[in-house]
Amino acid sequence: MSGKAVVTGIGVATANGLGVEDFWAATRVGKNAIDRITRFDATQYPSRLAGEIHGFEVQDHLPGRLIPQTDRMTQLALVAADCAFEDAGVKPGDIPEYDMGVVTASTSGGFEFGQNELKKLWSQGSNHVSAYQSFAWFYAVNSGQISIRNGMRGPSGVVVSDHAGGLDAIAQARRQIRKGSKLIFSGGFDASICPWGWVAQIAGGRLSTSEDPERAYLPFDDNAQGYVPGEGGALLILEEEETARARGAENIYGEIAGYGATFDPKPGSGREPGLRRAIEVALADAGVEAGDVDVVFADAAGTPWLDRQEADAITAVFGPSGVPVTAPKTMIGRLYSGAAPVDVVSALLAIREGLIPPTTNVEQSAAYDIDLVTGQPRTASVRTALVLARGYGGFNSALVVRATD
């Protein structure tokens, strides 16, 4: 066995597309999906824009018994898992149950479900609270529901490290493949566009208060003032390369080739943030040099001091304007644990097509010495891509994906 972990199936749901082809058709041309919130009345809040998923009717995809048990994020994740199985040309029963596992990331858990049940508790009493509240809000619920629904009894878990969590989960999945598991689901989903979740996000102090959907989320722009949240995410099926080829896998999108993670030092310590080191570790783990990387998918916090840190880290490793950089999440918002897995999907599809999707709406500031792809997509030979993610509180993660022959 080669020990290489490859991606053979993808399930993705974002504000600009449900499913691989719809998502990529919108992303490759820079279709903006950020708009005013419709899931609740946000007029009383300072931030009123989000990347909402429209047109998702859960009853068209899941059995009725599951719907009252699950939060919106879990419903999206379960449907994405079904899509990933179909994309990979695998059915749950095709692989022994103990050879399949699930490792996902979560940031907020089932906020909307929790809010609704707490509202019942306050207004009607404890007898009216759903028994499913005991787990539907929990961070590990996506891993649990996916594994139960598909009879997956192999290694499973959940990672909670905010936006960095999606990459950390994929790295954990790669580790399980190297240990001998035949198939691991990995990625992340979040959907906390509800009053309770919204207040929590505003409290972090990093949300944009712009009223203009076209100029609200502007990483690396002089007018950056924070980010716009979104909902959704992506799930990937990872398999060992030789095993995947032996079964005649219909799609092999690319290899999860390298990973690095660090934690920022204490504020005020005078030490540099840990992102540069995470990049260097990921490149070394993949066995590639900086010059081998064809594109960087940036974390793109949209907050000036965080953008400064990220730009400095990229420049330190690749040199001034040394590599194309893009942040297609400006079309859909930051998806918390789902953000980085969606960027991994974009990186794999960029490799497939030879095209770097643009960072929409942004006018790059001269203060950042990076080669940001803005306005239009850029045609390029993409064989190796680097995905970056940073989590609130100091988490830094970097993942290298590359083409397979």
Side-chain angles (χ1 to χ4, degrees):
M1 295 292 181
S2 68
K4 292 182 179 179
V6 296
V7 177
T8 59
I10 295 172
V12 59
T14 69
N16 68 354
L18 300 174
V20 173
E21 300 310 327
D22 283 350
F23 164 77
W24 186 239
T27 299
R28 67 185 299 282
V29 299
K31 181 180 178 181
N32 186 51
I34 290 173
D35 209 338
R36 290 187 66 87
I37 292 172
T38 63
R39 291 188 58 78
F40 67 95
D41 182 1
T43 54
Q44 64 182 309
Y45 300 98
S47 299
R48 304 183 184 94
L49 301 178
E52 292 181 325
I53 295 173
H54 299 290
F56 175 74
E57 302 294 338
V58 64
Q59 62 271 16
D60 295 339
H61 302 281
L62 296 178
R65 64 176 178 78
L66 264 180
I67 295 173
Q69 301 179 26
T70 48
D71 181 76
R72 180 174 173 85
M73 69 157 191
T74 304
Q75 294 165 2
L76 290 165
L78 287 169
V79 174
D82 291 345
C83 292
F85 267 125
E86 182 177 358
D87 190 42
V90 177
K91 296 179 181 179
D94 292 345
I95 296 174
E97 58 187 5
Y98 286 99
D99 287 335
M100 299 187 296
V102 186
V103 182
T104 66
S106 180
T107 296
S108 63
F111 255 42
E112 189 171 27
F113 194 104
Q115 172 189 292
N116 291 337
E117 298 310 311
L118 287 175
K119 184 177 179 180
K120 292 177 187 176
L121 174 65
W122 298 331
S123 62
Q124 298 173 268
S126 59
N127 290 337
H128 294 271
V129 176
S130 169
Y132 300 118
Q133 167 71 352
S134 61
F135 61 80
W137 70 272
F138 191 49
Y139 300 101
V141 66
N142 288 351
S143 289
Q145 289 284 19
I146 292 168
S147 61
I148 292 168
R149 177 169 163 78
N150 297 289
M152 308 171 79
R153 296 176 178 267
S156 296
V158 63
V159 180
V160 183
S161 46
D162 196 37
H163 287 89
L167 297 188
D168 298 337
I170 293 171
Q172 292 278 359
R174 182 183 69 152
R175 183 176 301 165
Q176 296 301 334
I177 294 295
R178 289 178 167 180
K179 288 182 176 180
S181 293
K182 294 187 181 300
L183 183 151
I184 301 288
F185 262 104
S186 192
F189 269 84
D190 267 299
S192 52
I193 302 178
C194 62
W196 190 20
W198 206 245
V199 169
Q201 293 173 78
I202 290 172
R206 298 181 183 177
L207 264 60
S208 171
T209 57
S210 172
E211 295 286 317
D212 182 359
E214 303 292 332
R215 293 290 292 168
Y217 180 18
L218 304 171
F220 310 112
D221 188 306
D222 284 330
N223 293 312
Q225 58 166 297
Y227 67 88
V228 174
E231 60 180 353
L235 287 174
L236 313 177
I237 288 180
L238 273 64
E239 299 182 68
E240 197 278 330
E241 183 180 23
E242 291 183 18
T243 301
R245 294 190 185 280
R247 73 164 179 83
E250 298 174 13
N251 297 309
I252 295 183
Y253 289 97
E255 177 195 357
I256 305 301
Y259 166 73
T262 59
F263 199 76
D264 285 340
K266 180 181 178 180
S269 68
R271 297 162 56 199
E272 71 168 300
L275 182 59
R276 177 184 62 84
R277 179 59 179 158
I279 295 170
E280 292 170 344
V281 171
L283 297 181
D285 185 37
V288 300
E289 303 292 334
D292 298 324
V293 176
D294 300 305
V295 61
V296 174
F297 284 78
D299 175 68
T303 302
W305 65 276
L306 290 169
D307 289 347
R308 174 81 273 159
Q309 290 180 357
E310 183 170 27
D312 287 349
I314 292 170
T315 301
V317 174
F318 298 98
S321 299
V323 63
V325 178
T326 190
K329 58 171 65 73
T330 55
M331 309 173 204
I332 58 175
R334 284 173 69 84
L335 312 185
Y336 295 91
S337 70
V342 169
D343 278 346
V344 172
V345 170
S346 294
L348 292 167
L349 296 175
I351 289 171
R352 184 183 74 176
E353 184 170 346
L355 182 142
I356 301 171
T359 307
T360 56
N361 306 322
V362 171
E363 298 174 8
Q364 182 183 333
S365 169
Y368 302 110
D369 204 357
I370 59 175
D371 178 17
L372 190 66
V373 179
T374 60
Q376 300 295 321
R378 183 184 299 181
T379 301
S381 175
V382 181
R383 299 286 294 174
T384 302
L386 176 70
V387 180
L388 305 180
R390 307 184 74 192
Y392 189 90
F395 298 98
N396 303 286
S397 295
L399 194 77
V400 176
V401 298
R402 64 184 167 205
T404 56
D405 294 330

